[in-house]
Amino acid sequence: MLPYLPRHPVPDVVRVRSPTGDDLWLVTRFELGRQVLTDSRFSRAMAVAESAPAIHPLRADPAALTSLDPPAHGRLRKLVNRAFAPHAVAAQEDSIRRTARALLTDRREIDLVSGFAMPLSSATICEVLGVPPAERERFSRLADRAHGITPCSPQESESARDELRAYFVSLVDLARHDPGGHLLGRLVLAQEQDGALDERELLALVELLLNAGYETTIGQIGLAALALLEHPRQWRELVRRPELIPGAVEVLLRYAPVVPISFTRVAVRDVELGGERIAAGDGLLVSLLHANFDPAEQPDPEVLDVGDDMARHLTFGHGPHVCLGARLARLQLRVALEELVRAAPDLSLTVAPAALRWRPAEAVVRGPTTLPVSW
């Protein structure tokens, strides 16, 4: 079984202590979670203040899109939505498919994390950010260290983050001179045409593009593949009926969310929620994992059924802060599954599930770090 699958019943809203030592409210129900993620009484901007209760010791950049409340959030989100318009994301499909197919060609065994999900995600985010081909290997090494995907010391990780931020400046300058056909170029053009964001906000958006489109995609492909490997009948159903894959993407996003909890919010004023009194200044989190497995929303939530056409989930959040990379993540996961079904219909693990290595339990993004398979 996938680790960390939730167990119900649990209280709808429960007090928990975070790794930082702060006490917060954890919301575990689907409908209550949707309410918290859309209700203006719960502020995201207040949650990034130094004095606010937190789930993680690293504070988010106050200028980041994910740190803002309306109306500032809406101003930046409008620009980002242009860069992530359906046609702009759809234009990436051929490139993603070529990469995925090449990674599986003439292979009979592979590590689906290091040999498939990582290079596929790396190639995609480099296309999105306009990283020149000659610099992509260096960029990927930096991203892997910055996000802890490659084991390294905290000092090495921080050094890689600093180097990446400096590199983002050069990417933005490159996009100004040659916008190209990538999403970053569209974002820079939108900035210059509208003057709607400053340089710091633009660089924070570039960093967010990396966060939303790289580490999470690696984890999500690994989790989805493992879920299917642990349910071989469901894998065989996709092999037999690949037209089910677009819907199966939603099923797998519900069943195996790569980010199990939401960003922290802070109550602007006293609020009654799920029978509990949330005081002004209290921190709240939504357990996206528990919400996805809420038996009031999902009958038989622990059953994986790739033919389920009613799967709803909060894996990408909800409301104004819904994940900006959701459309691109769905595309990558769909193409990855389609190419795996085509190339490896007899896919199976080459080790026992218990032998797999995982990202640390305290990591924001979860998933296996190894997934050796053969076919």
Side-chain angles (χ1 to χ4, degrees):
M1 291 286 289
L2 289 166
Y4 322 130
L5 286 186
R7 292 292 180 264
H8 285 281
V10 293
D12 294 359
V13 182
V14 61
R15 197 74 162 160
V16 296
R17 178 155 293 178
S18 78
T20 62
D22 292 323
D23 291 325
L24 303 102
W25 294 99
L26 185 70
V27 180
T28 66
R29 293 296 178 180
F30 185 87
E31 288 299 337
L32 287 178
R34 283 165 58 96
Q35 178 183 338
V36 169
L37 297 176
T38 56
D39 194 327
S40 61
R41 295 176 296 176
F42 304 114
S43 168
R44 176 63 190 143
M46 290 174 61
V48 301
E50 286 294 330
S51 59
I55 188 68
H56 195 279
L58 291 177
R59 297 281 175 169
D61 184 347
L65 178 67
T66 52
S67 301
L68 302 175
D69 289 335
H73 176 269
R75 173 177 61 85
L76 290 186
R77 185 74 190 217
K78 182 179 178 181
L79 292 176
V80 175
N81 286 344
R82 291 185 198 174
F84 277 89
H87 70 276
V89 174
Q92 304 290 321
E93 179 167 347
D94 287 347
S95 175
I96 294 170
R97 190 174 300 280
R98 284 194 301 270
T99 301
R101 186 163 294 186
L103 291 168
L104 299 173
T105 298
D106 297 328
R107 304 293 295 269
R108 288 296 177 265
E109 59 181 11
I110 197 173
D111 188 307
L112 280 181
V113 177
S114 63
F116 185 64
M118 287 176 65
L120 179 62
S121 183
S122 174
T124 302
I125 200 63
C126 284
E127 287 285 340
V128 167
L129 295 177
V131 178
E135 299 176 16
R136 291 183 178 183
E137 185 176 346
R138 170 176 169 265
F139 179 85
S140 297
R141 287 198 303 269
L142 285 175
D144 289 345
R145 292 204 305 272
H147 289 272
I149 298 170
T150 298
C152 61
S153 70
Q155 294 78 13
E156 290 172 323
S157 182
E158 181 59 34
S159 176
R161 283 195 293 271
D162 290 341
E163 195 170 343
L164 263 182
R165 291 186 186 106
Y167 187 70
F168 291 153
V169 174
S170 68
L171 283 180
V172 168
D173 288 341
L174 182 64
R176 285 201 173 100
H177 290 94
D178 180 15
H182 47 74
L183 298 183
L184 176 58
R186 294 187 181 95
L187 190 59
V188 169
L189 285 175
Q191 182 220 15
E192 292 187 335
Q193 290 167 2
D194 294 351
L197 72 165
D198 60 29
E199 190 74 7
R200 180 185 177 190
E201 291 170 331
L202 177 59
L203 291 172
L205 281 176
V206 175
E207 188 166 3
L208 183 58
L209 289 175
L210 176 63
N211 294 340
Y214 185 56
E215 180 185 16
T216 52
T217 303
I218 294 169
Q220 191 64 71
I221 290 174
L223 286 168
L226 180 57
L228 291 168
L229 288 164
E230 292 196 322
H231 295 81
R233 289 185 180 179
Q234 300 303 305
W235 172 252
R236 289 195 295 270
E237 184 68 1
L238 291 185
V239 172
R240 188 175 71 88
R241 300 176 61 196
E243 68 273 13
L244 292 177
I245 289 176
V249 165
E250 301 307 314
V251 172
L252 291 161
L253 287 169
R254 179 199 72 81
Y255 187 82
V258 67
V259 177
I261 57 172
S262 72
F263 290 122
T264 310
R265 267 75 172 172
V266 167
V268 175
R269 57 180 180 272
D270 293 355
V271 180
E272 192 281 329
L273 184 72
E276 298 287 350
R277 178 182 174 275
I278 313 299
D282 281 359
L284 299 90
L285 296 158
V286 177
S287 173
L288 307 177
L289 183 61
H290 279 88
N292 285 1
F293 280 74
D294 184 349
E297 171 64 25
Q298 181 74 31
D300 301 319
E302 293 191 13
V303 173
L304 181 66
D305 177 7
V306 295
D308 180 7
D309 59 2
M310 298 295 290
R312 294 207 300 165
H313 58 80
L314 293 183
T315 296
F316 293 125
H318 183 64
H321 282 284
V322 67
C323 176
L324 68 90
R327 191 174 282 115
L328 184 61
R330 284 184 166 103
L331 173 61
Q332 290 184 84
L333 182 54
R334 173 174 63 79
V335 171
L337 292 175
E338 288 170 348
E339 292 304 313
L340 279 169
V341 161
R342 183 195 61 82
D346 299 320
L347 192 71
S348 63
L349 275 173
T350 59
V351 299
L356 296 175
R357 296 195 299 273
W358 289 80
R359 291 177 64 82
E362 67 272 14
V364 174
V365 174
R366 66 183 194 144
T369 59
T370 60
L371 197 56
V373 298
S374 64
W375 58 90

